[in-house]
Amino acid sequence: MKKIMCILLLCFTGFLSAQIPNQLSNSEKVYGLSKFWQEANYNFVYLNKVDKAKWDSLYKAYITKVQETENDFEYYRLLQKFCAFLKDGHTNVYFPEHIQDSIFNTNFGKYRLFLTNIEDRAIITRVNESKKKEIPIGTEIIKVNGTQTSDYLTEHVLPYISLSTDYILKDWGVWRLLEGYAGTSYDLELKLPNGKIKNLTLTHSITEEEEVYPPFEERSLLDMKWYDNDIAYVALNSFSDPKIDSLFYERIPELKKAKALIIDLRNNGGGSTGIGQEIFNHLTNDTILYGSKFQSRLHVPSFKAWGRWTEEKDTINDSWAKQAYLSFRDEYYHNFPYSPDTLSVAEKEFLKDKRIIVPTVLLIGHNTASAAEDFLIFADNQTHMTKIGEPTFGSTGQPMLFDLPNGGKARICTKKDTYPNGKEFVGLGIQPDIEVGKSLSDYMENKDPALEKAIELLKGEK
């Protein structure tokens, strides 16, 4: 068996070497690694949470490893693994376009598979139309290339993904479980919904069949419907397009009839905080809104130099010594001036008779991210609002983008966002007041337990 696996590995490596360019010189490879290491050391806002001795040791080891990569794909994969050590959702390494365009995730020629993490299992939740009977929705991938799926994820997938929260890492790991270059093959062991075991070998190539089952759900920027006659449901699916504000304004006369309200943010990956705030202004009587507080690292070389000889006891009642002490440890920060957002006279006049203040549920989940999380921070002190669902994505900030050799890109998170009182949510997620997840049986029966809980709660509060 080991001989067969070695032969297959050699064949696959030979295929990759023939298909993927090896255009980078060793000096360029070392430069790209060093560039990322340098930018992280100077600009990564969460460097204080990193084991710096291990980080530096890893860098030294990778100087040799990057030079041993056989092609640009292997090189960038190694940089992604190096980046993943930082565990931040806004800190990433990206393939050059000429490589990225040849990487597949769901396409396997005659097959197309979409995976979802449900109850910590890799579940097939969508296939191409012609394969829906052969591979029913709800089928679980239990082995990949002879290895238990959980072990395969741990060894071959998760180490290459940089994310802030463990549960999102699991989600993305399952989603990218079968990601690979054209020609990559996987031997899968599947457990069908009826309990039967099926073996299947898949190879990445273009799938020409466009129809999938179940069909992709079409989501508008804003979706609205009614439950129990007087509970209004509004899905705010993105804050990236200012048009959503106008769409919401158009619905206000109708929403004023509601005795309770559900705002669904579960598919809102963010955008502009200001766009979301325009809508939030209509959901509160407050004229002063408390948004996120943020800071960035402040590097003054002389202070860092002085900090080498500064001890903690020297910092007592001495701001100069304190800055030196913290600078040497890469823990000195610039706190951006903070003040709550106060509505102007014109904004107050505009909002007159346009506010919807009723018992409100905010539906949240793993895909509620960035500006949508900022929306939740505004909502944190609203007594008429209840968060139901699952913890949010748990990552935001201001990334700094820079170039890597031969068309690659990377970004480093430079800004730390917190609640106004300093409470952290990056790496933790914003927690629901009532946690409601979705089981495999819920998925198979097309149930939405979080929405059901919201309706149940609001019926009792109207």
Side-chain angles (χ1 to χ4, degrees):
M1 181 55 128
K2 288 184 178 179
K3 289 183 179 179
I4 294 174
M5 290 299 294
C6 287
I7 292 172
L8 288 173
L9 181 60
L10 287 171
C11 289
F12 176 60
T13 303
F15 175 84
L16 286 180
S17 299
Q19 298 295 319
I20 303 175
N22 186 27
Q23 298 173 339
L24 294 172
S25 65
N26 282 345
S27 60
E28 287 175 313
K29 290 178 179 179
V30 173
Y31 168 77
L33 169 69
S34 301
K35 176 70 172 175
F36 185 85
W37 178 72
Q38 175 199 40
E39 296 293 1
N41 285 338
Y42 277 93
N43 301 302
F44 184 48
V45 73
Y46 297 107
L47 191 66
N48 65 317
K49 296 187 176 182
V50 173
D51 182 334
K52 282 183 277 190
K54 191 172 182 180
W55 168 244
D56 288 345
S57 177
L58 201 62
Y59 165 67
K60 287 186 283 187
Y62 273 41
I63 290 174
T64 300
K65 288 186 176 183
V66 295
Q67 296 181 76
E68 294 173 344
T69 56
E70 296 188 4
N71 51 59
D72 294 357
F73 174 82
E74 286 186 11
Y75 170 71
Y76 270 96
R77 280 275 284 173
L78 201 57
L79 286 193
Q80 288 179 340
K81 189 173 184 179
F82 185 59
C83 171
F85 180 81
L86 299 178
K87 297 182 179 180
D88 182 69
H90 280 62
T91 300
N92 310 94
V93 170
Y94 302 104
F95 287 112
E97 286 187 13
H98 67 275
I99 295 178
Q100 185 62 55
D101 290 345
S102 299
I103 294 175
F104 293 90
N105 189 19
T106 64
N107 291 43
F108 296 93
K110 294 181 180 180
Y111 294 85
R112 197 168 184 208
L113 306 182
F114 297 82
L115 307 180
T116 303
N117 176 30
I118 301 177
E119 298 176 333
D120 288 337
R121 292 185 285 168
I123 303 297
I124 297 173
T125 52
R126 184 172 282 111
V127 297
N128 48 321
E129 177 73 26
S130 63
K131 300 299 181 183
K132 65 181 182 182
K133 291 185 179 179
E134 180 184 346
I135 306 177
I137 300 307
T139 294
E140 179 184 358
I141 298 178
I142 56 177
K143 285 187 180 180
V144 180
N145 294 340
T147 302
Q148 293 291 334
T149 300
S150 58
D151 295 333
Y152 186 89
L153 279 165
T154 300
E155 185 175 353
H156 299 287
V157 183
L158 302 184
Y160 299 89
I161 303 175
S162 181
L163 281 169
S164 309
T165 45
D166 290 340
Y167 51 89
I168 301 297
L169 182 62
K170 290 179 182 178
D171 289 352
W172 282 35
V174 169
W175 170 51
R176 294 172 57 176
L177 174 67
L178 304 180
E179 184 179 75
Y181 201 83
T184 310
S185 291
Y186 298 92
D187 291 324
L188 305 180
E189 186 172 314
L190 310 176
K191 184 177 181 181
L192 306 183
N194 62 10
K196 292 184 178 179
I197 301 299
K198 177 182 177 63
N199 293 302
L200 185 67
T201 298
L202 299 176
T203 302
H204 275 307
S205 61
I206 295 174
T207 304
E208 296 183 358
E209 183 180 359
E210 296 182 0
E211 294 78 14
V212 295
Y213 176 83
F216 286 107
E217 180 183 351
E218 291 187 13
R219 294 193 184 98
S220 304
L221 268 177
L222 183 150
D223 292 316
M224 181 175 172
K225 62 184 73 171
W226 288 88
Y227 291 99
D228 200 38
N229 297 321
D230 52 11
I231 299 176
Y233 166 95
V234 179
L236 306 175
N237 293 320
S238 175
F239 291 144
S240 61
D241 188 340
K243 184 181 177 181
I244 193 172
D245 290 342
S246 299
L247 294 172
F248 184 81
Y249 300 155
E250 292 171 3
R251 297 286 191 171
I252 289 175
E254 189 177 358
L255 287 170
K256 292 288 287 183
K257 302 173 185 176
K259 291 185 178 179
L261 178 64
I262 297 171
I263 299 292
D264 193 344
L265 298 168
R266 290 176 296 177
N267 295 299
N268 192 321
S272 168
T273 300
I275 291 173
Q277 185 180 345
E278 285 295 316
I279 293 175
F280 186 82
N281 289 342
H282 294 77
L283 306 177
T284 177
N285 277 323
D286 293 349
T287 57
I288 300 177
L289 301 178
Y290 294 86
S292 60
K293 177 182 177 181
F294 42 90
Q295 61 181 191
S296 187
R297 285 172 57 196
L298 182 61
H299 177 70
V300 180
S302 292
F303 276 106
K304 189 167 186 175
W306 292 320
R308 175 179 285 275
W309 293 280
T310 306
E311 298 180 17
E312 188 172 8
K313 63 181 177 61
D314 302 327
T315 66
I316 299 172
N317 299 321
D318 189 332
S319 59
W320 184 288
K322 183 176 181 180
Q323 183 170 349
Y325 177 82
L326 293 174
S327 294
F328 180 70
R329 289 156 182 79
D330 299 310
E331 294 180 356
Y332 192 76
Y333 298 93
H334 170 71
N335 293 300
F336 290 89
Y338 180 80
S339 61
D341 293 296
T342 304
L343 299 184
S344 66
V345 173
E347 288 173 323
K348 292 176 185 176
E349 183 62 27
F350 175 77
L351 289 168
K352 188 178 181 181
D353 301 324
K354 295 184 178 71
R355 298 179 189 263
I356 304 127
I357 314 301
V358 293
T360 301
V361 165
L362 305 174
L363 293 179
I364 63 174
H366 290 184
N367 294 323
T368 306
S370 199
E373 291 178 300
D374 293 335
F375 186 98
L376 295 173
I377 291 177
F378 285 124
D380 188 55
N381 64 347
Q382 302 295 309
T383 57
H384 66 292
M385 294 184 177
T386 303
K387 300 183 295 293
I388 294 179
E390 296 180 292
T392 63
F393 193 80
S395 181
T396 189
Q398 177 56 57
M400 182 190 74
L401 189 69
F402 55 94
D403 294 330
L404 291 175
N406 202 27
K409 302 282 184 185
R411 64 179 192 169
I412 298 288
C413 185
T414 64
K415 181 167 69 74
K416 175 182 178 180
D417 289 69
T418 67
Y419 282 85
N421 63 2
K423 175 184 172 183
E424 296 190 22
F425 67 92
V426 172
L428 303 168
I430 293 176
Q431 304 300 308
D433 300 308
I434 302 173
E435 186 163 359
V436 181
K438 196 170 186 176
S439 67
L440 180 56
S441 61
D442 290 329
Y443 190 93
M444 297 296 292
E445 297 171 21
N446 199 28
K447 290 183 177 180
D448 189 338
L451 177 59
E452 291 173 4
K453 183 64 177 179
I455 294 171
E456 176 190 338
L457 178 72
L458 292 174
K459 280 183 178 180
E461 294 189 359
K462 289 189 296 179

